């Protein structure tokens, strides 16, 4: 990109959108910044909603930056406002009856909960926004029998908190194991074991058929009684705004290695963006704080300085469930090999290349993996094998 | 309230009132102080809330917590004996007057 943008409009005031605004100022951008969010209130952290917040209810602790911060850094925060459309020809966005011109537009629209076509799903609650989490917390103030649809991070984090509070919990999952999209079988098995030990019932290979006000119906005919039903079956990227503006979308808003969409005046970041995986070039979409904030920094540098360093950050993810902390460094594809290490961690390989390390309560290996994966020429499988697959010896 | 003084790399001092039980990181973030990022929100997944506890206070803030050493390994600035993740220092009445120094960069 050449020339200096005068007005950057950011659509979406989640952690990624906010980071873009903050990084623009850190990089020395002196033009106007408008950060537009659909939810009310100040930008907040989502990860704790299914973890610490459910336990403590401390909503103030979620706020990412106070109101005074936006004033101090001259960032115009517009909340409770939905952007209806993008007019690319003239460089405007439409918000209700208002229009707002942009020189550069950043789409940080995030995701929304996937609501599969299951009869009676209106009886199930969501856990995505602060409002959702507040409602759930209120529902948990008396003994409950919970049914959770989906054994991904959110469903299991909720299950761990609810069970620890003494509620009965059953989790139904369509796949044969928990967190099937995110982790290898050995790690999934250890989490399943922990949940079983807590007294949570897990039903795998059970795509919920029907929901009613008294519980959920499994395909094998079993009815699981519940007076609190949580839907946690994954998310869908919010691409409609980009799609309607004619930008290519493919399970997310398609960007290049600089997080730029097909339109040089529009970037996309975080959960709603698909971008080329730096290692394989495959288009990927990540749902993480890391991707949202690292994308934001890359875009802010490009807008401010016109430089276009290809995005190459090492992905990382975490999940806290009871006393187990899952940490993932890197990005493995389902077909990648899986090596179980003596220290309990799992290394994933694509041929000779280390692609990811999955660890439980082992920050040392996790951080070492992040360092190794960031190297220009990371040690190959044979080298790691000679070290007994102990990354801390590398 | 527990007073905490943050001394930025350029020497600028900011004293904030924190609540007992809150962390040194959260106190800085909720006041919008620059110099502490706290990207993971205190989940010990990053090292962007790195601080150096003033020598006069390092006994009272205690040793690093489990895993803190490993995360500090990836801190952007030099790690010293007094380096801590400020999300892991919880304010107590005994820490009233605490002084921490901030690194030149967190990323």
């Amino acid at each position: 990109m050449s020339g200096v943008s005068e007005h950057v409009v950011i659509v979406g005031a989640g952690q990624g959108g906010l980071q873009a605004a903050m990084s623009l100022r850190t990089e020395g951008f002196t033009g106007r910044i408008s950060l537009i969010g659909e939810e009310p209130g100040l930008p907040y952290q989502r990860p704790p909603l299914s973890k610490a917040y459910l336990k403590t209810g401390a909503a103030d602790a979620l706020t990412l930056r106070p109101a005074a911060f936006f004033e101090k850094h001259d960032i115009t925060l517009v909340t409770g406002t939905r952007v209806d459309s993008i007019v690319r020809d003239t460089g405007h966005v439409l918000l209700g009856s208002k229009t707002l011109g942009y020189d550069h537009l950043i789409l940080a629209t995030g995701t929304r909960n996937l609501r599969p076509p299951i009869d009676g799903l209106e009886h199930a609650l969501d856990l995505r926004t602060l409002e959702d989490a507040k409602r759930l917390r209120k529902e948990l103030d008396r003994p409950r029998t919970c049914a959770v649809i989906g054994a991904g991070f959110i469903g299991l984090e909720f299950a761990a908190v609810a069970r620890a509070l003494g509620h009965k919990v059953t989790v139904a999952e369509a796949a044969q194991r928990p967190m099937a999209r995110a982790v290898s079988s050995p790690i999934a098995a250890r989490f399943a074991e922990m949940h079983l030990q807590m007294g949570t019932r897990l039903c795998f290979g059970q795509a919920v058929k029907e929901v009613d006000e008294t519980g959920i119906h499994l395909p094998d005919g079993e009815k699981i009684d519940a007076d609190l039903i949580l839907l946690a079956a994954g998310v869908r990227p919010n691409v409609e705004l980009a799609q309607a503006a004619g930008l290519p979308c493919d399970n997310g808003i398609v960007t290049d290695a600089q997080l730029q969409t097909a339109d040089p005046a529009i970037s996309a970041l975080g959960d709603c963006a698909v971008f080329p995986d730096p290692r394989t070039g495959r288009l990927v979409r990540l749902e993480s704080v890391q991707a949202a904030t690292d994308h934001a920094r890359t875009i802010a540098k490009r807008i401010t300085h016109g430089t276009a360093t290809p995005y190459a950050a090492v992905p990382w993810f975490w999940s806290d469930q009871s006393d187990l902390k899952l940490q993932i460094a890197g990005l493995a594809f389902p077909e990648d090999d899986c090596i179980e290490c003596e220290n309990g961690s799992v290394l994933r390989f694509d041929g000779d290349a280390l692609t990811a390390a999955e660890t439980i309560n082992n920050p040392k290996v996790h951080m070492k993996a992040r360092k190794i994966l960031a190297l220009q020429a990371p040690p190959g499988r044979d080298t790691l094998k000679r070290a007994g697959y102990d990354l801390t010896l590398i | 309230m527990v007073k905490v003084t943050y001394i930025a790399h350029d020497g600028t001092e900011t004293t904030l009132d924190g609540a007992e039980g809150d962390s040194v990181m959260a106190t800085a973030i909720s006041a919008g102080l620059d110099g502490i990022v706290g990207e993971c929100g205190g989940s010990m997944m990053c090292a962007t809330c790195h601080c150096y506890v003033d020598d006069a206070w390092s006994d009272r803030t205690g040793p690093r917590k489990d895993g803190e050493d490993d995360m500090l390994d990836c801190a952007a600035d030099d790690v010293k004996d007094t380096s801590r993740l400020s999300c892991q220092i919880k304010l107590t009445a005994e820490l009233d007057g605490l002084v921490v120094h901030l690194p030149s960069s967190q990323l």
Side-chain angles (χ1 to χ4, degrees):
Chain A
M1 210 186 114
S2 61
V4 177
S5 293
E6 297 296 323
H7 185 199
V8 176
V9 173
I10 304 165
V11 184
Q15 192 158 359
L18 171 64
Q19 185 65 53
M22 296 198 297
S23 294
L24 280 165
R25 288 293 180 239
T26 312
E27 294 296 330
F29 177 77
T30 54
R32 282 170 66 203
I33 301 174
S34 298
L35 178 60
I36 304 167
E38 199 174 349
E39 287 182 61
L42 294 166
Y44 61 89
Q45 303 173 59
R46 263 183 229 287
L49 294 181
S50 50
K51 309 179 182 85
Y53 172 79
L54 268 189
K55 291 182 217 164
T56 66
D60 287 349
L62 301 175
T63 302
L64 282 161
R65 291 295 181 274
F69 180 90
F70 296 88
E71 236 171 88
K72 180 178 163 189
H73 294 280
D74 194 18
I75 296 164
T76 306
L77 176 66
V78 183
T79 59
T81 301
R82 189 185 171 86
V83 172
D84 299 314
S85 57
I86 306 167
V87 187
R88 285 167 54 195
D89 292 348
T90 51
H92 282 81
V93 291
L94 306 181
L95 323 86
S97 56
K98 289 188 212 151
T99 64
L100 190 62
Y102 66 80
D103 295 297
H104 197 92
L105 183 68
I106 300 176
L107 299 174
T109 49
T111 60
R112 63 177 173 277
N113 272 9
L114 170 65
R115 292 192 80 87
I118 300 172
D119 281 344
L121 208 56
E122 66 274 14
H123 299 291
L125 300 174
D126 288 306
L127 176 45
R128 167 158 181 79
T129 64
L130 178 55
E131 200 187 326
D132 294 336
K134 276 184 178 162
R135 172 152 183 211
L136 265 180
R137 255 186 70 73
K138 216 171 144 202
E139 297 285 335
L140 289 174
D141 69 0
R142 61 180 191 276
R144 288 288 191 175
T145 302
C146 308
V148 180
I149 303 171
F153 285 9
I154 304 289
L156 291 181
E157 287 170 3
F158 171 83
V161 173
R163 187 68 204 115
L165 291 171
H167 303 283
K168 285 185 187 155
V169 184
T170 300
V171 182
E173 164 61 49
Q176 295 297 335
R177 59 185 173 89
M179 304 180 285
R181 222 162 37 99
V183 299
S184 60
S185 317
I187 296 286
R190 284 177 55 196
F191 275 87
E193 193 189 318
M194 181 274 290
H195 283 281
L196 290 172
Q197 275 171 7
M198 284 185 87
T200 295
R201 186 176 166 211
L202 303 174
C203 306
F204 295 113
Q206 300 285 346
V208 173
K209 235 175 76 187
E210 196 188 329
V211 177
D212 62 37
E213 62 270 32
T214 65
I216 61 175
H217 298 263
L218 303 183
D220 64 5
E222 191 188 348
K223 156 86 187 296
I224 292 172
D225 291 328
D227 56 10
L228 194 166
I229 302 162
L230 176 70
L231 174 68
V235 296
R236 279 284 171 268
N238 293 323
V239 299
E240 289 73 9
L241 195 60
Q243 217 157 27
L247 295 172
C249 295
D250 177 11
N251 182 38
I253 304 163
V254 175
T255 70
D256 63 14
Q258 283 90 38
L259 284 315
Q260 184 176 290
T261 68
D263 181 338
I266 305 179
S267 303
L269 65 78
D271 292 20
C272 71
V274 293
F275 64 100
D277 169 35
R279 196 181 61 81
T280 60
R282 280 162 78 165
L283 282 181
V284 292
R285 189 176 65 77
L286 303 181
E287 294 158 10
S288 71
V289 165
Q290 174 276 321
T293 55
D294 281 336
H295 286 173
R297 283 188 275 265
T298 300
I299 293 168
K301 279 194 182 116
R302 171 163 49 81
I303 291 174
T304 310
H305 309 295
T307 55
T309 316
Y311 177 82
V314 175
W316 48 263
F317 311 84
W318 85 97
S319 177
D320 294 318
Q321 297 170 35
S322 185
D323 54 357
L324 298 190
K325 186 181 201 81
L326 167 70
Q327 295 179 301
I328 304 169
L331 181 66
F333 292 98
E335 64 274 20
D336 289 1
D337 294 341
C338 170
I339 302 281
E340 288 183 73
C341 310
E342 268 176 44
N343 60 24
S345 51
V346 167
L347 300 185
R348 308 290 302 275
F349 288 94
D350 172 10
D352 187 49
L354 176 70
T355 55
E358 303 164 3
T359 58
I360 300 173
N361 295 348
N362 197 336
K364 190 182 258 328
V365 171
H366 172 73
M367 292 312 288
K368 194 60 194 266
R370 272 158 72 169
K371 281 186 178 172
I372 289 174
L373 288 164
L375 294 172
Q376 282 292 338
R381 190 167 178 158
D382 285 341
T383 309
L384 297 177
K385 191 177 178 183
R386 280 196 294 276
Y389 293 111
D390 183 348
L391 297 186
T392 64
L393 297 178
I394 301 293
Chain B
M1 285 310 213
V2 183
K3 286 206 184 305
V4 185
T5 298
Y6 301 80
I7 304 180
H9 194 67
D10 66 4
T12 312
E13 288 189 24
T14 309
T15 299
L16 301 174
D17 284 322
E20 278 187 50
D22 277 359
S23 70
V24 171
M25 180 275 284
T27 304
I29 296 292
S30 60
L33 185 78
D34 295 325
I36 287 187
V37 175
E39 184 151 286
C40 75
S43 298
M44 286 251 272
M45 283 302 296
C46 69
T48 63
C49 66
H50 179 199
C51 73
Y52 308 107
V53 175
D54 192 83
D55 289 338
W57 290 88
S58 52
D59 283 350
R60 271 169 283 184
T61 51
R64 292 175 191 160
K65 305 269 170 61
D66 278 352
E68 215 179 311
D69 276 326
D70 306 313
M71 303 313 293
L72 279 167
D73 260 357
C74 283
D77 208 341
D78 292 344
V79 176
K80 304 174 190 168
D81 289 346
T82 55
S83 286
R84 293 291 308 270
L85 293 181
S86 59
C87 69
Q88 298 302 312
I89 307 174
K90 296 283 187 286
L91 296 180
T92 59
E94 296 80 67
L95 290 180
D96 189 23
L98 175 67
V99 178
V100 298
H101 302 261
L102 303 182
S104 61
S105 94
Q106 295 283 12
L107 285 162

